Amino acid sequence: TATMYGGPAIGDTVYVHTIAGAYTTAAPATTGDVVRAVGHIVDSFVSGRNTYWKVFFNPSPDFIQN
């Protein structure tokens, strides 16, 4: 299980976050950060107080440094 940041919604691109073990829907923008798209959100469901995001993982081979 990983933490998702950035106000996710179905269809959003998912990036590796600058926090270890986390993902985000907002591409890292700080100088020196590496931007790596790893997939897209395809579905979600709520269980109790938690929202879970189903991600189609298709990591890009590109590493772009800001």
Side-chain angles (χ1 to χ4, degrees):
T1 303
T3 301
M4 178 72 72
Y5 292 92
I10 294 173
D12 285 351
T13 300
V14 177
Y15 301 92
V16 174
H17 198 288
T18 56
I19 298 171
Y23 299 95
T24 182
T25 56
T30 303
T31 300
D33 285 349
V34 173
V35 179
R36 175 113 192 254
V38 294
H40 293 87
I41 296 175
V42 295
D43 200 5
S44 68
F45 68 93
V46 176
S47 178
R49 294 182 291 164
N50 297 313
T51 301
Y52 296 90
W53 302 96
K54 185 176 183 179
V55 176
F56 172 70
F57 277 95
N58 187 19
S60 168
D62 301 324
F63 289 81
I64 301 165
Q65 187 169 8
N66 287 329

